[in-house]
Amino acid sequence: PEQLIQISEGEHVALTTAAWECLQTSRGTIDTILKEERVVYGINTGFGNFSTVVISPDNLDRLQLNLIRSHAAGVGDPITVPQTRMLLALRINVLAKGFSGIRPETVRKMVAILNAGCVPLVPQQGTLGASGDLAPLSHLALGLLGEGKMWNPLKQEYDDAKKVLEEHSLEPIDLKAKEGLALINGTQLITSLGVEALIRAEEILDVACIVAAMSVEVLRAFDTPFDPLLQAARPHVGQARIAARVFSLIHEEDGARSELNRNITDTHQTNGGPFSLRCIPQVHGIVYDTLRFVRRVLTTELNSATDNPMVFSGSKDTCSGGNFHAEYPAKVLDYLAIASHEIAQLSERRIDRLLNADLSGLPPFLV
């Protein structure tokens, strides 16, 4: 995920020699299928209800172009340029796996366009969500074709894609058999936005732990809820990590409480304090574990081939399935939303205790 964020901020991308070889081999399988005049879905047939309609060789290129144009039907404001950079980088990564049958020269042009900072305009609305990002990816492909709008990094604005490419001495892609389909089947938008949300959530959790520790200090709460022995009796990874983090923040290096609370003798928190303080390890802990799970799933998704049909060069054949379905990132992002809410909910309870003089022991009307 961190590498993707770096790309969103302007870092260049490059493919390995092995990746270029995979692309070449994969395309060779497509060429063989066409040469042998075998009828294969997505290569020389229509799509959806027209999957049984065989397309003549002289219409194959036109079919791929029409596929992009017909599906570029998104609406609303565009996603941000950094988000679009992530989207394009992820699509390149999918193609580089060698399961899509796209020509190396097409991917080479995509890499050049990304590294030049020119990215197509992709509307926020239009994705099918967990059923795939057809519309957003079609808008991405449309700009790469030199149609629609594209971000001009020199002028810091969107302009006609063809004009932007010309100004930067870049070549638009052109589509051959299977290539249009290879560009739009997948989960790259939801995964890109998911990575962005994950990194933010991880940063927020870290800040929330610091703020929670400050609340423990100001409210002169006991440190027993963060004792390592307590966490060992319920050995969840997240609970132990959060407890150790807060414990370290409210203690000096020698293990003594901070100077502010070194001699706590008068407190009404004889039971360890309110839930919003003593349950920080448990609540923040499950958030930590949830974010770890989200990260693991998204990392796998980042490096997965999500095209359909898939090209398997070893058997010199294709296989249709459902790798384009985004249920994995969709579900973990639901978990991410729930976890983020828990951080906010516990924080709100601590704010209430800090501002309520009847509970805090602090002067009233603090803001």
Side-chain angles (χ1 to χ4, degrees):
E2 284 76 15
Q3 286 182 309
L4 191 61
I5 295 298
Q6 291 170 359
I7 293 171
S8 77
E9 296 170 347
E11 185 170 299
H12 285 196
V13 302
L15 269 61
T16 64
T17 300
W20 291 117
E21 292 174 352
C22 283
L23 285 166
Q24 189 64 54
T25 303
S26 178
R27 186 60 196 183
T29 300
I30 300 296
D31 292 339
T32 298
I33 290 172
L34 293 172
K35 184 178 180 180
E36 295 175 353
E37 298 183 350
R38 290 155 53 193
V39 177
V40 178
Y41 170 73
I43 298 176
N44 49 18
T45 71
F47 315 106
N49 289 337
F50 300 102
S51 60
T52 58
V53 178
V54 179
I55 308 300
S56 62
D58 55 338
N59 282 319
L60 291 180
D61 297 354
R62 181 180 165 193
L63 172 70
Q64 300 299 314
L65 180 58
N66 287 344
L67 176 68
I68 300 301
R69 288 171 174 169
S70 65
H71 283 71
V75 296
D77 295 331
I79 61 175
T80 67
V81 171
Q83 288 169 343
T84 313
R85 286 185 58 86
M86 289 193 290
L87 179 62
L88 179 52
L90 273 190
R91 198 63 211 174
I92 291 171
N93 192 46
V94 167
L95 299 173
K97 303 297 178 186
F99 295 106
S100 299
I102 197 167
R103 292 173 300 152
E105 52 263 43
T106 301
V107 178
R108 191 169 285 110
K109 291 176 182 178
M110 295 171 67
V111 170
I113 292 171
L114 174 60
N115 287 340
C118 306
V119 291
L121 185 152
V122 178
Q124 292 179 1
Q125 301 175 31
T127 179
L128 296 176
S131 292
D133 294 325
L134 287 173
L137 288 170
S138 293
H139 280 280
L140 186 76
L142 195 68
L144 299 174
L145 286 163
E147 301 184 16
K149 298 292 184 179
M150 178 173 278
W151 180 255
N152 189 327
L154 298 177
K155 299 179 180 179
Q156 291 292 292
E157 63 182 15
Y158 286 103
D159 204 344
D160 291 335
K162 182 179 179 181
K163 181 180 178 182
V164 173
L165 292 173
E166 289 175 348
E167 286 184 5
H168 290 79
S169 301
L170 297 167
E171 294 182 57
I173 65 173
D174 59 299
L175 301 177
K176 300 299 180 183
K178 176 65 170 65
E179 292 194 303
L181 196 59
L183 290 172
I184 68 172
N185 255 325
T187 68
Q188 283 65 58
L189 180 67
I190 190 171
T191 305
S192 296
L193 300 184
V195 165
E196 186 179 55
L198 171 65
I199 297 299
R200 288 179 179 177
E202 290 175 337
E203 293 173 350
I204 289 170
L205 177 60
D206 187 52
V207 172
C209 288
I210 296 171
V211 173
M214 294 172 66
S215 299
V216 169
E217 286 287 84
V218 171
L219 292 170
R220 296 176 62 78
F222 289 132
D223 61 357
T224 52
F226 311 101
D227 191 301
L229 292 176
L230 192 66
Q231 320 316 319
R234 194 190 190 194
H236 290 294
V237 173
Q239 178 175 328
R241 288 289 296 268
I242 297 299
R245 174 81 164 128
V246 175
F247 192 89
S248 68
L249 290 169
I250 63 176
H251 289 80
E252 304 289 355
E253 290 185 1
D254 61 2
R257 282 297 294 269
S258 66
E259 186 174 347
L260 177 65
N261 290 312
R262 191 157 294 169
N263 298 305
I264 296 179
T265 57
D266 181 21
T267 177
H268 58 282
Q269 297 170 359
T270 55
N271 63 354
F275 282 11
S276 60
L277 297 177
R278 60 171 156 148
C279 294
I280 291 169
Q282 290 74 24
V283 178
H284 284 199
I286 186 56
V287 173
Y288 176 87
D289 285 339
T290 300
L291 297 186
R292 288 176 67 216
F293 175 61
V294 174
R295 171 176 280 270
R296 185 167 72 250
V297 172
L298 289 182
T299 300
T300 299
E301 192 70 17
L302 290 174
N303 294 288
S304 297
T306 59
D307 196 2
N308 188 62
M310 305 277 280
V311 179
F312 293 95
S313 300
S315 61
K316 299 188 181 302
D317 205 349
T318 64
C319 181
S320 290
N323 275 8
F324 57 81
H325 203 286
E327 194 74 3
Y328 269 100
K331 276 293 176 286
V332 296
L333 292 181
D334 284 342
Y335 304 156
L336 178 62
I338 295 170
S340 299
H341 167 267
E342 290 303 302
I343 299 175
Q345 188 270 341
L346 203 65
S347 178
E348 186 275 333
R349 288 292 81 202
R350 288 194 298 271
I351 291 172
D352 174 74
R353 181 159 290 270
L354 285 165
L355 298 182
N356 188 333
D358 293 334
L359 299 174
S360 68
L362 300 172
F365 308 114
L366 291 176
V367 293

